Amino acid sequence: MQRWSGSCQILAVGAMALLTVMPLGAAQAELSKDEQKCINLLNSAGRGVTKAAGLVWAGCIKDYSKGKNVSAEACRDADAKDKIQKAFEKTDKQFLKKCFEKIGGPAPIGPQDAAQVNDAAIRKEDTLLLRVLGRDIDDVVAVEDGSTEVKNAAKCQQKVLGDLLKCEDTKILEFLKCKKDALKGKNGPAIMTAQELQDLCLGVGAVAQPDDKGKIAKKCTNPEKSSIFKDLDKKCEGKGVDLVEVFGGGSCADAAALGGVPLAQCLEALTECEVCKWANRTDGLDRDCDLFDNGVADDSCDGGVCAAAGSTSTICTFDQSGDCFGGANDGLTCDPAAAAATCPDGVCPARSRLVIQAAGFPITINMKGGSVDVECDSDGGLTEECTCSFVDVDPPFALIGFACLTPFAGCDTGTLSCGLGGDQLDVATRAFKDVGDCSVSVNGADVGNPSCVELCGTHCGTLGGNQKVATATCDGYCVGGPNDNQICILDGDCPGGQCAGQDVIGASPPPLDPICSCTCESIGGEDASAGGLQCNIGTNIVVESFLPCGPQCGAGSDNPGDPCTMDAECPNGACGDALLNLGSMCIPSTTERASGVILDANGTPGAIVPPGGIGVLDGRSIPADVLLAGSASGMRLVSQIAVFGAIGVGDLSISVEIGCE
């Protein structure tokens, strides 16, 4: 689903202003009339965004239920009549005219820029709809098929959604009226801090939002007056509608099974929750929304969304124990270093390991010490962006030397699925040894790797789905480093990079018709469980002869293994013990399912690696709030990557499994 934002100009202005925003309880002079006007008009514009988004959602869902559009979600994203966009622009205009031009920026309290207001409003509306109906809107909206039963279900759904939007707007309007009067000092001393605003207009602790005139009760909470209760009774249950069928995909599925009144109470609490979080985001408040929504500390306001934990860093320390398969201890934890004793008559694969498969053999390498740092920027959304990176990995011995892994920045951010789950986070890689001749220009691109990128783009596109080019290399050309895309024979010709296709080239000049190898990657598949994580571990992998990692005198020198910076320090040899430079890569990792295969491996038509077919690994997720709170224990990340042309062994399919202690 598309995430909207305000104009770049206003965002930049607001970002500077954020540096000087007052703390929640800090005191300052009474706000001027212009400062009050800035606050009130920005808040009013934010309400306009929520109303516009609600109208667009309602119209798209209604049309989708009648077959007038092919997707309610796509319809909302398209915003065909620009209702949302116009509301955004109005917020921008108010900030520019009433805040920036009048008082030089935002007021000391309240909204700090237009983008903040717009983002809070659209996030609230989207989250509320998804929590009420479910993550896959198109799958849960009742689509009329001519039957009375489905028609009644569609009307029930739409009527209750409309009731919730009216309830939501009433809460927002009462909050804004309370704020406007409080800023003016209409019913007492004028408020001057965010804390005073929060306590006066949102209540304290389990105390509900002030409702002196009973307007919120009438629209939301009073079973005798609120349309939410009455329509669930008459328009839904009274028409024989199955409430679980209509609302069972959202956060109130359990309440739906109990009947109309419990469902109404749950849906109303969801609305309270999202209004509270909207106020916090818009005005920089810190109201406890879990108490605000129903007066009870029961985590009811966190369902369906990530905790607003800010920037978090969670370390997944490699689990070096294993799981016993077979024998008397089948299913028990075992020690891979003492497999005979801890897993008699069985096998004890480590929970953190690499499985390297070539055309002729597999080899398993247990990971030693090390960890993965999972960094997420959590602001209370349905999903959050996360990055992953290796930290202090003890180099395992890999075939011919020690695999030295160093962090590489530059990979795409990943996704953490919260609350209801439902995001597709399976990772599938399909690698192709030969997709064409990259010694000629394709679509005007330079020969070599750029030409290969074009070939791979076309080839990956033929696979369907959301395929992207993960790697594209042309044999006989440098990949990475200052000599990138220069003709090469060996890795030594490519400082800071690698020479693609060394296994084909050997010590001979590059082939006249270099072949293009590429890896296509897609993220999709089955719905992830809540807490599902997909991230890309950026790493540079160099296989070296000696430890520690880093430049050392090579095996032919008089002092092999000694640290060095130049050849002169290595008599009768050279400085550098790198046996294989796999270069920088983004390892697509997931807690869901990873699959991978190399087709036409080693340039042989029909040959595949792994020899048995597509390699498949299943990971394991943990609750998102646990991960964001700093614990990765029990999580399992899995990956499948392809490496073309390893010296002496050819194309490699590498499975990566990382269990977290």
Side-chain angles (χ1 to χ4, degrees), residues 431-439 442 448-457 459 469 471-475 500 513-519 644:
F432 301 86
K433 180 65 175 182
D434 184 359
V435 298
D437 180 359
C438 44
S439 66
V442 177
N449 294 321
S451 177
C452 185
V453 169
E454 294 292 325
L455 288 170
C456 289
H459 191 80
V469 178
T471 66
T473 57
C474 184
D475 284 355
D513 297 313
I515 62 172
C516 172
S517 302
C518 60
T519 303
F644 295 110

Side-chain angles (χ1 to χ4, degrees), residues 389-405:
S389 57
F390 283 128
V391 179
D392 298 330
V393 177
D394 288 346
F397 187 79
L399 297 177
I400 55 176
F402 296 92
C404 296
L405 286 69

Side-chain angles (χ1 to χ4, degrees), residues 487-531:
I487 292 176
C488 61
I489 297 177
L490 298 171
D491 277 348
D493 299 325
C494 308
Q498 64 178 135
C499 184
Q502 281 193 107
D503 60 319
V504 176
I505 301 166
S508 305
L512 294 176
D513 297 313
I515 62 172
C516 172
S517 302
C518 60
T519 303
C520 306
E521 177 188 309
S522 67
I523 299 175
E526 300 295 324
D527 286 353
S529 56

Side-chain angles (χ1 to χ4, degrees), residues 26-100:
Q28 70 264 331
E30 184 174 337
L31 299 179
S32 68
K33 289 185 178 180
D34 283 340
E35 287 174 330
Q36 293 179 41
K37 186 174 291 187
C38 165
I39 295 171
N40 292 328
L41 289 177
L42 275 182
N43 280 137
S44 179
R47 178 190 174 217
V49 174
T50 66
K51 293 190 70 174
L55 288 172
V56 171
W57 263 123
C60 289
I61 288 173
K62 183 177 181 179
D63 287 348
Y64 180 65
S65 73
K66 294 182 176 296
K68 294 183 179 180
N69 63 48
V70 296
S71 166
E73 293 187 50
C75 168
R76 177 272 192 213
D77 288 345
D79 186 25
K81 296 183 179 180
D82 290 334
K83 289 182 179 179
I84 299 174
Q85 186 58 40
K86 288 177 181 177
F88 282 164
E89 292 170 358
K90 184 174 181 179
T91 309
D92 290 347
K93 182 178 179 181
Q94 296 286 31
F95 182 79
L96 187 63
K97 296 291 185 182
K98 303 300 181 181
C99 300
F100 189 68

